[in-house]
């Protein structure tokens, strides 16, 4: 069945450091891929998405590229801020069929 | 404002005492889901609904019930809560189309069963 594997956290970075959170997936067909972010005390919200191979999703300085050949959708940001501290979820599918990874907690220190 | 509203946000209850967590969305979404979030396990789907009066089990439905009498509401019912149902619960909704469709989440309900 479909599944998502993302790197375990927590990830701790200093402000302005480069961020990568790895995500790989197993799926039949060509699902859409998503990154959701959960800020403390809140629900998940969509950060970015990509719907086909080689698509790049981007938002708020974050980006991720749908790599079919490596079945990956790694999240990157060039310079993190304290306000980026949150839990990040990689997901595939869409709608009520969305499958989520376990989440990666990011701490950014000033 | 488009939103998914859950109530209550926090709940402490005792084993066996029936409870209901409400969920309401104002976006006219067909699909609604309930998830629980546990450390190291990510989000696991409990139940989902494709439309009014249409519900189905997700990955972890044991001990839960749902109903969908109106399009906007999708309550989660725990008939006899047990401590292993202590968790953070999220309601989500989305449009019918599966592909490309983001899910909109409520703010969560933190449930403790003692």
């Amino acid at each position: 069945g479909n599944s998502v594997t993302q790197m375990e956290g927590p990830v701790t970075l200093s402000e302005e450091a480069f961020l990568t959170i790895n995500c790989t997936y197993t799926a039949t067909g060509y699902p859409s891929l998503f990154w959701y972010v959960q800020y403390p005390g809140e629900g998940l919200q969509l950060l970015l998405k990509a719907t086909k191979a080689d698509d790049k999703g981007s938002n708020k300085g974050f980006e991720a590229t749908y790599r079919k050949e490596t079945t990956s959708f790694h999240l990157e940001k060039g310079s993190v801020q304290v306000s980026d501290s949150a839990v990040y979820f990689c997901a595939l599918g869409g709608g009520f069929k969305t499958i989520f990874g376990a989440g990666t907690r990011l701490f950014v220190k000033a | 404002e488009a939103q998914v509203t859950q109530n209550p946000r926090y709940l402490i209850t005792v084993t066996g005492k029936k409870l209901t967590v409400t969920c309401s969305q104002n976006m006219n979404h067909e699909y609604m889901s309930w998830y629980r979030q546990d450390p190291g396990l990510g989000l696991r789907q409990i139940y989902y609904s494709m439309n009014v009066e249409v519900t189905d089990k997700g990955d972890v439905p044991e001990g839960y019930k749902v109903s969908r009498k109106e399009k906007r509401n999708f309550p989660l019912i725990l008939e006899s809560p047990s401590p292993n149902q202590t968790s953070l619960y999220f309601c989500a909704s989305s449009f019918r189309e599966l592909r490309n469709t983001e899910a909109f989440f409520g703010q969560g309900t933190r449930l403790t069963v003692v």
Side-chain angles (χ1 to χ4, degrees), chain B residues 19-95:
Chain B
L19 66 91
T20 300
V21 183
T22 64
C23 174
S24 180
Q25 51 92 6
N26 63 0
M27 295 168 278
N28 202 35
H29 286 163
E30 295 88 1
Y31 293 142
M32 297 185 75
S33 299
W34 276 102
Y35 295 88
R36 60 179 289 173
Q37 183 180 12
D38 300 291
L41 297 177
L43 278 83
R44 294 180 292 168
Q45 192 177 53
I46 302 170
Y47 269 94
Y48 63 92
S49 168
M50 291 186 283
N51 215 326
V52 175
E53 301 291 1
V54 181
T55 64
D56 209 346
K57 296 177 181 178
D59 300 316
V60 289
E62 294 77 19
Y64 304 94
K65 284 176 56 177
V66 293
S67 69
R68 187 93 181 272
K69 293 185 170 54
E70 305 165 282
K71 196 172 187 179
R72 63 184 292 126
N73 295 325
F74 191 45
L76 179 69
I77 303 155
L78 284 71
E79 295 269 4
S80 182
S82 62
N84 65 11
Q85 293 179 297
T86 292
S87 187
L88 180 58
Y89 291 86
F90 288 100
C91 179
S93 70
S94 61
F95 284 113

Side-chain angles (χ1 to χ4, degrees), chain A residues 39-105:
Chain A
Y39 297 107
E42 298 184 13
L44 282 73
Q45 56 186 274
L46 181 69
L47 179 60
L48 54 85
K49 68 180 182 184
T51 59
K52 60 183 187 296
D54 300 324
D55 261 5
K56 178 185 284 188
S58 61
N59 186 25
K60 299 182 182 180
F62 291 89
E63 55 183 38
T65 301
Y66 190 160
R67 302 278 188 208
K68 184 163 160 286
E69 64 277 11
T70 55
T71 61
S72 65
F73 193 54
H74 304 322
L75 182 68
E76 296 181 336
K77 186 175 185 183
S79 176
V80 294
Q81 306 300 312
V82 171
S83 57
D84 294 327
S85 297
V87 181
Y88 293 82
F89 291 89
C90 186
L92 68 82
F96 76 92
K97 285 292 191 183
T98 305
I99 295 172
F100 292 89
T104 302
R105 185 176 295 277

